[in-house]
């Protein structure tokens, strides 16, 4: 009897019966929607609030004067935005140049201490970056890299390599080894088999790792502060100083600028990161 | 043999980057942790424990609590996506849960600072629903705010990894158990979760180390005492240029994360054996 009522969704739908679960289900999903969209709505409200203080539930006056202030030639948001995108693009190029060979080797070739090497890339994520960045800043100061774009890019590459290498490794191990061997057996060189077979098949995963690195670079705050500021202005630094100064409107507008690319990626991520790649991350 | 060599050559540039730009400065900060006025000693650690032992405990509790909640939320979301029988609810959940996934931490800090404040939208909604009166509202910008921010940001990440692993499981055992009359909760706990344990642990380890290194969230949500180790390090440097104690605090949080990484390594070795 129970097996009749609760087989697959497809057959279950053919038996019309009153589903008493719609109420708790709706409540839970509604609560989840509030938890996720409530804070985002609150942020958007702040970007157009001219005046808003306790105990008013909604802003007293709406307007775009803060937007004008952010995007005015005098404001430094445009410069920060351009810098952030430029740094992130360079970071992606450098990180992928390092991660593609490394990921291929970790996925395909026999490596001594493979687990340890994978863990090594985790180190930048495993240590509170602050004291490390302070020491990097000292080192870069001696090399003349402090306060330059290349210096910031190098810090971001180090920070993003864990995503780049781990996802690239997963992407390459999800590619069927036999396809590569088939190409080799009909006479393709190792390099040719890699370029024409393995690389295109791993491309969606590599694309995902590129976007991850791009977003990590946009997000990165601590390293930019110690190595970049005050010469290289980036969006997270602008957001932090505005927020610390109590200017919630400017901080919220900057936060919104950082949000848009993140949410755009979230909406398309499954096109790049298939389940077979995801299930191999960290193996 | 040549394959081994080729592999090492391919990995070398990436490893060299990590070594030069992270492990060397890391070594410098470890050495710096023991440096007291040009000599070596444990003075920095004495000072760090005397001033910040409460914050160290606070950090461990906050991050562990957040990791536990993240794990439960991720299993619940992944489980419903895999075992849910209402296709509409599954589709809505799939669309819904991922929104915070790639939102930067610094933005999460700003977003939740406005939401959880005394006059934030959370309190306003509770008031308008009649659950609270305006006088009873309190700011959640303390340890609760940090936990909420961590879970808000990291649970979708782990849920994405876990649901991906669950989707690639063999449906046969699940259907068989279902036909034998096992409840979905029991299938989730006894069949699905054990099979995705490795992915779950990877996700939780990554989240743990990420949360240990985030500076922006504690600074923006709860900068007063007790706070997290990262905020203390920033304070030591900004207020006193005190590299010694900052490095000692850094080493303490390294030891906390190292113990977590060790658990992962052991699990990884065991599941490969």
């Amino acid at each position: 009897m129970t097996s009749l009522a609760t087989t697959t969704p497809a057959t279950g739908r053919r038996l019309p019966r009153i589903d008493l679960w719609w109420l708790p289900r709706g409540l839970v999903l509604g609560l989840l929607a509030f938890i996720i969209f409530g804070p985002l709505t609150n942020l958007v409200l702040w970007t157009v609030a001219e005046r808003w203080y306790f105990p008013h539930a909604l802003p007293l006056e709406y307007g775009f004067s803060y937007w004008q202030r952010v995007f005015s030639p005098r404001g430094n948001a445009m410069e920060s935005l351009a810098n952030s995108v430029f740094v992130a693009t360079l970071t992606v190029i450098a990180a992928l140049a390092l991660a593609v060979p490394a990921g291929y080797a970790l996925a395909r070739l026999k490596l001594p201490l493979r687990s340890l090497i994978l863990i090594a890339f985790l180190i930048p994520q495993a240590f509170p970056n602050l004291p490390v960045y302070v020491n990097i800043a000292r080192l870069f100061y001696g090399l003349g890299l402090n306060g330059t774009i290349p210096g910031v890019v190098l810090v971001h590459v180090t920070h993003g390599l864990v995503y780049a290498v781990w996802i690239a490794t997963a992407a390459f191990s999800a590619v069927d080894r036999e396809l590569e061997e088939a190409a080799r057996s009909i006479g393709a060189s190792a390099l040719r088999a890699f370029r024409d077979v393995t690389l295109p098949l791993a491309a969606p995963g590599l694309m995902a790792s590129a976007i991850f690195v791009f977003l990590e670079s946009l997000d990165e705050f601590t390293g930019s502060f110690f190595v970049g500021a005050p010469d290289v202005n980036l969006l997270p630094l602008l957001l932090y100083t505005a927020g610390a100064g109590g200017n919630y409107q400017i901080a919220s507008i900057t936060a919104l600028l950082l949000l848009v690319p993140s949410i755009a990626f979230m909406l398309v991520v499954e096109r790049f990161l298939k389940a077979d790649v995801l299930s191999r991350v960290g193996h | 043999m040549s394959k081994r060599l080729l592999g090492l050559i391919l990995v070398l540039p990436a490893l060299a980057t990590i070594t030069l730009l992270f492990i060397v400065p890391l070594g410098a900060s470890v050495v710096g942790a023991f440096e007291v006025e040009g000599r070596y000693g444990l003075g920095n650690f004495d000072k760090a424990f005397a001033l910040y032992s409460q914050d160290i405990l606070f950090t461990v509790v906050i991050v562990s609590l957040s990791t536990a909640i993240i794990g439960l939320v991720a299993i619940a979301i992944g489980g419903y996506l895999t075992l849910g029988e209402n296709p509409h609810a599954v589709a809505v959940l799939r669309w819904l849960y991922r929104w915070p996934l790639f939102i930067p931490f610094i933005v999460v800090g700003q977003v939740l600072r406005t939401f959880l404040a005394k006059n934030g939208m959370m309190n306003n909604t509770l008031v308008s629903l009649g659950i609270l009166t305006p006088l009873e509202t309190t700011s959640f910008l303390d340890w609760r705010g940090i936990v909420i921010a961590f879970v808000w940001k990291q649970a979708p990440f782990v849920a994405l990894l876990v649901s991906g692993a669950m989707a690639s499981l063999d449906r046969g055992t699940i259907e068989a158990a279902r036909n034998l009359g096992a409840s979905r909760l029991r299938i989730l706990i006894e069949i699905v979760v054990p099979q995705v344990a490795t992915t779950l642990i990877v996700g939780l380890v990554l989240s743990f180390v990420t949360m240990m290194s985030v500076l922006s969230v504690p600074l923006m949500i709860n900068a007063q005492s007790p706070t997290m180790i990262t905020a203390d390090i920033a304070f030591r440097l900004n207020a006193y240029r005190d590299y010694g104690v900052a490095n000692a605090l850094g080493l303490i949080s390294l030891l906390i994360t190292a113990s977590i990484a060790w658990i992962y390594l052991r699990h990884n070795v065991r599941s490969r054996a």
Side-chain angles (χ1 to χ4, degrees):
Chain A
M1 197 183 82
T2 40
S3 63
L4 244 187
T6 57
T7 43
T8 60
T11 48
R13 291 180 65 75
R14 255 186 273 136
L15 308 165
R17 64 196 175 98
I18 297 165
D19 188 356
L20 286 176
W21 281 98
W22 69 267
L23 186 65
R25 201 185 278 140
L27 276 177
V28 169
L29 284 177
L31 186 66
L32 193 65
F34 177 70
I35 291 171
I36 289 170
F37 292 116
L40 296 176
T41 316
N42 210 154
L43 181 87
V44 173
L45 275 179
W46 264 112
T47 65
V48 292
E50 296 285 319
R51 282 196 309 134
W52 191 2
Y53 44 83
F54 187 75
H56 296 283
L58 288 171
L60 296 167
E61 238 179 86
Y62 296 91
F64 286 92
S65 71
Y66 285 94
W67 284 86
Q68 278 169 357
R69 211 192 290 178
V70 165
F71 288 104
S72 75
R74 224 158 38 87
N76 41 12
M78 292 315 287
E79 186 205 340
S80 303
L81 180 65
N83 276 343
S84 276
V85 171
F86 184 57
V87 164
T89 310
L90 288 180
T91 303
V92 167
I93 294 169
L96 278 196
L98 295 168
V100 167
Y104 181 79
L106 286 165
R108 279 286 191 266
L109 308 171
K110 284 250 176 293
L111 276 177
L113 304 173
R114 184 177 171 279
S115 266
L116 216 61
I117 292 175
L118 269 180
I119 285 286
F121 292 107
L122 194 62
I123 291 174
Q125 300 280 314
F127 194 75
N129 303 329
L130 246 124
V132 175
Y133 289 143
V134 170
N135 286 287
I136 289 187
R138 275 179 172 172
L139 183 80
F140 278 7
Y141 196 76
L143 299 172
L145 281 169
N146 228 30
T148 65
I149 297 246
V152 177
V153 169
L154 282 174
V155 170
H156 287 191
V157 167
T158 316
H159 178 76
L161 261 184
V162 60
Y163 296 105
V165 171
W166 281 39
I167 299 174
T169 305
F172 282 122
S173 26
V175 173
D176 193 349
R177 198 182 283 258
E178 283 176 15
L179 293 173
E180 207 173 308
E181 278 158 11
R184 294 301 302 278
S185 73
I186 55 170
S189 68
L191 202 63
R192 177 103 198 268
F194 173 76
R195 201 191 63 202
D196 290 351
V197 178
T198 318
L199 197 59
L201 285 170
L206 296 178
M207 192 66 205
S209 101
I211 301 174
F212 253 102
V213 172
F214 188 90
L215 293 177
E216 275 300 309
S217 168
L218 272 190
D219 177 12
E220 216 288 323
F221 165 69
T222 324
S224 319
F225 181 75
F226 281 100
V227 176
D231 304 307
V232 183
N233 274 318
L234 298 170
L235 279 181
L237 297 174
L238 181 69
L239 162 54
Y240 180 71
T241 40
N247 194 335
Y248 273 26
Q249 282 90 345
I250 302 275
S252 298
I253 292 168
T254 318
L256 200 63
L257 289 178
L258 286 171
L259 260 183
V260 174
S262 314
I263 287 181
F265 179 49
M266 183 278 304
L267 290 173
V268 298
V269 66
E270 281 202 341
R271 222 165 285 169
F272 300 110
L273 271 185
K274 303 267 166 23
D276 59 335
V277 174
L278 271 180
S279 63
R280 282 181 168 82
V281 170
H283 285 252
Chain B
M1 185 221 86
S2 73
K3 247 190 173 178
R4 244 178 194 211
L5 195 66
L6 180 67
L8 279 181
I9 290 170
L10 290 177
V11 174
L12 211 59
L15 267 184
T17 308
I18 295 288
T19 309
L20 281 179
L21 290 175
F22 207 90
I23 296 176
V24 169
L26 182 65
S29 88
V30 170
V31 173
F34 294 96
E35 230 168 35
V36 190
E37 287 159 11
R39 303 165 133 226
Y40 291 101
L42 293 174
N44 294 325
F45 289 92
D46 292 341
K47 215 167 165 185
F49 280 114
L51 291 171
Y52 299 114
S53 56
Q54 201 195 355
D55 289 355
I56 294 166
L57 189 69
F58 180 81
T59 304
V60 171
V61 170
I62 290 276
V63 175
S64 308
L65 179 67
S66 305
T67 308
I69 300 175
I70 288 167
L72 290 177
V73 173
I75 290 172
I77 291 174
Y80 194 77
L81 290 177
T82 316
L83 302 171
E85 279 165 0
N86 182 316
H88 300 294
V90 170
V92 169
L93 180 63
R94 190 183 301 283
W95 180 82
L96 199 58
Y97 85 91
R98 293 182 304 180
W99 280 76
L101 193 56
F102 302 116
I103 296 177
F105 265 112
I106 189 149
V107 176
V108 172
Q110 176 64 24
V111 162
L112 289 178
R113 182 159 68 176
T114 57
F115 182 70
L116 299 173
K118 198 166 157 61
N119 65 333
M121 191 175 269
M122 189 184 67
N123 278 328
N124 288 330
T125 310
L126 291 178
V127 169
S128 61
L129 288 176
I131 299 170
L132 286 181
T133 66
L135 285 177
E136 287 168 343
T137 55
T138 50
S139 160
F140 271 73
L141 299 177
D142 48 22
W143 66 272
R144 293 168 298 184
I146 299 183
V147 172
I148 292 170
F150 283 159
V151 173
W152 200 81
K153 157 86 174 142
Q154 287 294 315
F157 168 69
V158 181
L160 181 78
L161 292 180
V162 164
S163 64
M166 285 179 180
S168 57
L169 287 183
D170 174 29
R171 298 291 301 188
T173 33
I174 298 172
E175 301 294 337
R178 202 86 185 94
N179 288 338
L180 288 171
S183 73
R184 281 185 281 169
L185 190 64
R186 203 168 147 204
I187 294 176
L188 181 65
I189 293 168
E190 291 182 12
I191 297 178
V192 175
V193 171
Q195 291 188 72
V196 298
T198 307
T199 310
L200 178 67
I201 289 173
V202 168
L204 290 180
V205 167
L206 279 174
S207 295
F208 190 98
V209 297
T210 305
M211 292 185 288
M212 286 296 292
S213 349
V214 172
L215 170 66
S216 45
V217 166
L219 274 193
M220 293 176 92
I221 288 187
N222 172 39
Q224 66 274 53
S225 181
T227 186
M228 295 189 63
I229 299 176
T230 45
D232 292 331
I233 295 174
F235 176 73
R236 263 349 266 188
L237 288 174
N238 286 337
Y240 300 110
R241 312 302 291 168
D242 184 355
Y243 292 98
V245 172
N247 282 331
L249 286 170
L251 192 58
I252 291 166
S253 69
L254 173 71
L255 293 177
I256 298 168
T257 34
S259 57
I260 295 297
W262 184 71
I263 293 172
Y264 162 73
L265 262 180
R266 263 189 47 172
H267 179 89
N268 203 17
V269 167
R270 206 171 46 211
S271 62
R272 266 163 204 286

